[in-house]
């Protein structure tokens, strides 16, 4: 099975090639520099940039795999959630390609793509827990089987990656802020500044990061050192994340957890998970990419493609 995967849900154009469940190519055109002057993603600019890159990335991915378009068995593309303009570019591109090649295509849920990103190197089958920790999502699922998901909890305000981005901006760092904040935190003391524990005493499995952000604004005014603020903020945000996951694992009797999305690259997060059996995506598969969409299609494929009428779905719950 040779599958081309495309993700244009936000600001990066991702094209991947998966052959028999193995990632053969995973290319990304980053739009970071394009949006940086605006301090966030400008949807119309993102759409145009996706259009400019798709053809080139598909050609390059096929070249890396030594394949021609005609050799593909299946095409896969993110249908949502995401920014509607960027989604439409990828979806229509892949539909047109599939139609012209007379090949099937699958429209994939972006979060299912993130979940599938941890499948490479995974030595276990479900059931397990899965935490999506990205710039747009902080969602904890119970995975009973691939395709069978139950939402246990989610953020009530900012996504954890978004919280890192906002904190980084408050600290005068660039965008995306997660990796920059992590780097600054390495020079600071994670216990130097106290932060409140979010949703203390809750019975459910939700997350909240806006209180930490407000606390950071206050602590900044109190004159703490930037590296100590970064380290302490990071520690508080990640401890909250891991605490909820540990409690869910204990309550529901799970020992294995997948942690996916951009924030899964954080080394401190990985350290805090000690004692849990956690799988993280391999390098290149954590942030938005095309290979994870192809992997989700590989896990879902049952011999029948999706109809060409399927619309883009900017707001689409997974479960
Ligand atoms: O998965 P992703 O591409 O986002 C969405 O799909 O929404 O991940 C991007 C997010 C950004 O918010 C970025 O700041 C965060 O992941 N991130 C990190 C790290 N690397 C990326 N956050 C904390 N520590 C990191 N090392
Ligand atoms: Zn994503």
């Amino acid at each position: 099975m040779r599958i081309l995967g495309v993700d244009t849900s936000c600001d990066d154009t991702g094209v991947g090639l998966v052959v028999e469940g193995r990632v053969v190519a995973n290319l990304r055109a980053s739009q970071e520099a394009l949006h940086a002057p605006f301090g966030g993603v400008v949807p119309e600019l993102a759409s145009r940039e996706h259009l400019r890159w798709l053809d080139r990335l598909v050609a390059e991915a096929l070249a890396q795999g030594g394949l021609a378009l005609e050799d593909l068995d299946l095409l896969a593309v993110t249908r949502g959630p995401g920014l509607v303009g960027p989604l439409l570019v990828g979806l229509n591109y892949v539909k047109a390609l599939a139609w012209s090649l007379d090949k099937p295509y699958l429209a994939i849920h972006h979060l299912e793509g993130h979940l599938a990103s941890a499948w490479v190197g995974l030595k276990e089958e479900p059931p397990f827990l899965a935490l999506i920790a990205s710039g747009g999502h902080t969602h904890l699922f119970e995975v009973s089987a691939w395709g069978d998901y139950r939402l246990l909890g989610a953020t009530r305000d900012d996504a954890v990656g978004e919280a890192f981005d906002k904190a980084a901006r408050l600290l005068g760092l660039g965008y995306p802020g997660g990796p920059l904040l992590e780097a600054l935190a390495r020079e600071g003391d994670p216990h130097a500044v106290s932060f409140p524990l979010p949703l203390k005493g809750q019975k459910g499995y939700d997350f909240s990061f806006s209180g930490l952000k407000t606390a950071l604004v206050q602590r900044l005014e109190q004159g703490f050192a930037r590296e100590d603020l970064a380290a302490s903020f990071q520690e508080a945000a990640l401890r909250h994340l891991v605490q909820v996951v540990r409690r869910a694992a204990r309550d529901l009797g799970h020992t294995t957890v997948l942690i996916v999305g951009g924030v899964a690259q954080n080394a401190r997060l990985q350290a805090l998970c000690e004692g849990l059996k956690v799988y993280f995506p391999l390098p290149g598969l954590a942030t938005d990419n095309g290979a994870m969409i192809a992997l989700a299609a590989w896990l879902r494929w049952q011999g029948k493609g999706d109809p060409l009428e399927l619309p883009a779905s900017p707001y689409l719950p997974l479960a």
Side-chain angles (χ1 to χ4, degrees):
M1 202 73 192
R2 289 160 290 209
I3 309 173
L4 185 79
V6 170
D7 182 83
T8 60
S9 59
C10 191
D11 60 337
D12 286 340
T13 317
V15 174
L17 187 62
V18 166
V19 177
E20 304 308 331
R22 219 167 47 81
V23 178
V24 170
N26 195 17
L27 305 169
R28 187 168 11 213
S30 167
Q31 300 183 7
E32 248 165 66
L34 178 69
H35 300 288
F38 304 98
V41 178
V42 183
E44 181 60 26
L45 289 181
S47 305
R48 288 164 195 253
E49 198 70 0
H50 288 311
L51 205 51
R52 250 164 46 82
W53 279 95
L54 274 170
D55 261 339
R56 276 184 257 181
L57 294 184
V58 169
E60 176 61 25
L62 289 169
Q64 283 188 11
L67 297 178
L69 273 175
E70 294 69 29
D71 298 327
L72 293 173
D73 299 302
L74 177 63
L75 290 84
V77 60
T78 303
R79 68 179 291 211
L83 300 170
V84 70
L87 284 170
L88 280 170
V89 172
L91 188 62
N92 286 324
Y93 178 91
V94 168
K95 281 180 180 176
L97 196 56
W99 179 80
S100 67
L101 292 168
D102 198 17
K103 308 271 184 189
Y105 94 106
L106 285 178
I108 301 291
H109 194 289
H110 183 74
L111 294 190
E112 190 158 42
H114 274 298
L115 294 179
S117 74
W119 184 79
V120 183
L122 187 65
K123 293 179 188 70
E124 297 181 39
E125 289 295 319
F128 38 64
L129 295 184
L131 174 73
I132 299 176
S134 72
H137 295 89
T138 309
H139 281 47
L140 182 62
F141 290 99
E142 182 172 47
V143 181
S144 301
W146 288 107
D148 184 356
Y149 313 114
R150 180 163 75 101
L151 182 66
L152 299 176
T155 182
R156 296 189 187 172
D157 37 63
D158 293 345
V160 57
E162 186 184 1
F164 269 79
D165 292 334
K166 287 181 177 173
R169 203 199 294 195
L170 286 168
L171 292 169
L173 304 167
Y175 175 87
L180 300 170
L181 193 137
E182 183 183 7
L184 183 61
R186 247 178 257 127
E187 294 160 30
D189 175 1
H191 306 293
V193 189
S194 75
F195 277 90
L197 180 69
L199 303 181
K200 210 170 159 181
Q202 69 155 332
K203 297 270 183 297
Y205 308 107
D206 282 345
F207 305 90
S208 170
F209 298 96
S210 64
L212 293 178
K213 190 185 58 195
T214 309
L216 178 61
V217 173
Q218 291 165 349
R219 309 288 189 272
L220 254 172
E221 286 165 0
Q222 290 165 6
F224 288 100
R226 281 168 72 251
E227 55 273 21
D228 287 343
L229 284 167
S232 301
F233 173 89
Q234 168 174 271
E235 194 73 6
L238 298 180
R239 277 189 187 277
H240 168 47
L241 208 57
V242 175
Q243 212 168 49
V244 173
V245 170
R246 275 190 202 278
R247 196 158 47 77
R250 202 173 50 227
D251 292 354
L252 302 170
H254 289 286
T255 49
T256 299
V257 185
L258 315 188
I259 300 186
V260 299
V263 183
Q265 302 173 116
N266 186 291
R268 183 63 195 145
L269 171 64
Q270 300 185 4
L272 284 172
C273 289
E274 217 198 329
L276 280 171
K277 204 192 292 168
V278 183
Y279 290 91
F280 296 97
L282 296 180
L285 288 170
T287 54
D288 292 351
N289 66 88
M292 72 183 194
I293 302 303
L295 285 167
W298 160 253
L299 292 172
R300 203 182 99 194
W301 179 245
Q302 292 191 324
K304 193 173 175 307
D306 282 328
L308 285 172
E309 298 78 48
L310 216 71
S313 307
Y315 310 100
L316 186 69
L318 178 62

